Amino acid sequence: MPAERLLSAICPGSYDPVTNGHLDIIGRASEVFERVIVGVVDQAVRKTKTVFTAAERVAFIEEATAGLGNVEVKPFSNLLVDFARENSAKVVVKGLRAISDFEYEFEMNQLNRKMAPDIESTYMMAAPEYSFLSSSGVKELAMFGGDLEGLVPPAVARRLQEALER
Ligand code: PNS
């Protein structure tokens, strides 16, 4: 492992489903940090039900990151800061797309900082080609038969189309 790579980092999210934008952030984090743990929220933290179970969401990310030797994928259902501590990670990495993300992330940042000032949240700007891409947008497209090419991994596109046709 190159000496300039630092620490372990958590890339947390609902990932329902993972998009190519998420995978871009995970890949970039894996270039910077020694070890990246992708934390998949295994609980309805939102009122809306997920399309895929946590095990399915984990499997999609595992398949898509199989070529990255320093990335692990784990479900979690406790506080993000506790999950980070359990994994000896002091850094959380999230992607930021637009001003609309900033407001939500700023709130989460303040809450997480209050609970665990020792855990630092950091943000990577979405690549321009993914700055419009979200899991909810992808689900909406899939529901109406839109083309998901280039937005999610092919296996996710197939499963999403099946799941939403049902
Ligand atoms: O926007 P996402 O992808 O649904 O983000 C999920 C997560 C956990 C990263 C976000 O909700 C967050 O930062 N939460 C902090 C509060 C917390 O720990 N919630 C419990 C999650 S199991």
Side-chain angles (χ1 to χ4, degrees):
M1 192 65 66
E4 65 272 18
R5 287 196 195 169
L6 300 169
L7 308 170
S8 296
I10 305 283
C11 287
S14 304
Y15 300 111
D16 185 44
V18 70
T19 67
N20 289 349
H22 294 132
L23 292 169
D24 179 57
I25 299 289
I26 294 166
R28 284 158 59 193
S30 82
E31 294 285 331
V32 176
F33 295 94
E34 262 179 32
R35 178 171 164 248
V36 172
I37 301 110
V38 180
V40 176
V41 174
D42 181 13
Q43 182 182 300
V45 290
R46 308 275 146 62
K47 291 189 184 92
T48 49
K49 195 180 171 310
T50 55
V51 173
F52 296 108
T53 65
E56 289 172 317
R57 288 177 276 138
V58 166
F60 288 143
I61 304 171
E62 276 175 346
E63 189 183 335
T65 59
L68 303 175
N70 59 342
V71 174
E72 290 162 54
V73 190
K74 298 182 181 183
F76 75 105
S77 52
N78 51 351
L79 284 173
L80 172 59
V81 290
D82 290 338
F83 177 68
R85 285 202 180 111
E86 281 165 20
N87 285 280
S88 310
K90 291 178 78 69
V91 180
V92 171
V93 176
K94 290 180 164 187
L96 266 191
R97 290 162 304 183
I99 305 285
S100 48
D101 278 349
F102 178 82
E103 211 167 281
Y104 169 73
E105 292 300 346
F106 191 66
E107 180 185 338
M108 289 299 150
N109 182 293
Q110 301 302 313
L111 292 174
N112 289 333
R113 180 188 299 273
K114 173 112 180 56
M115 288 183 288
D118 54 314
I119 302 210
E120 194 61 58
S121 293
T122 64
Y123 302 86
M124 284 187 180
M125 292 297 164
E129 61 268 38
Y130 301 127
S131 60
F132 62 94
L133 184 54
S134 67
S135 299
S136 49
V138 163
K139 283 183 278 198
E140 174 108 11
L141 283 193
M143 211 172 316
F144 294 95
D147 185 4
L148 304 183
E149 166 94 46
L151 305 182
V152 292
V156 174
R158 263 195 315 276
R159 290 290 315 285
L160 194 55
Q161 267 143 359
E162 284 165 16
L164 293 179
E165 273 168 22
R166 283 201 304 270

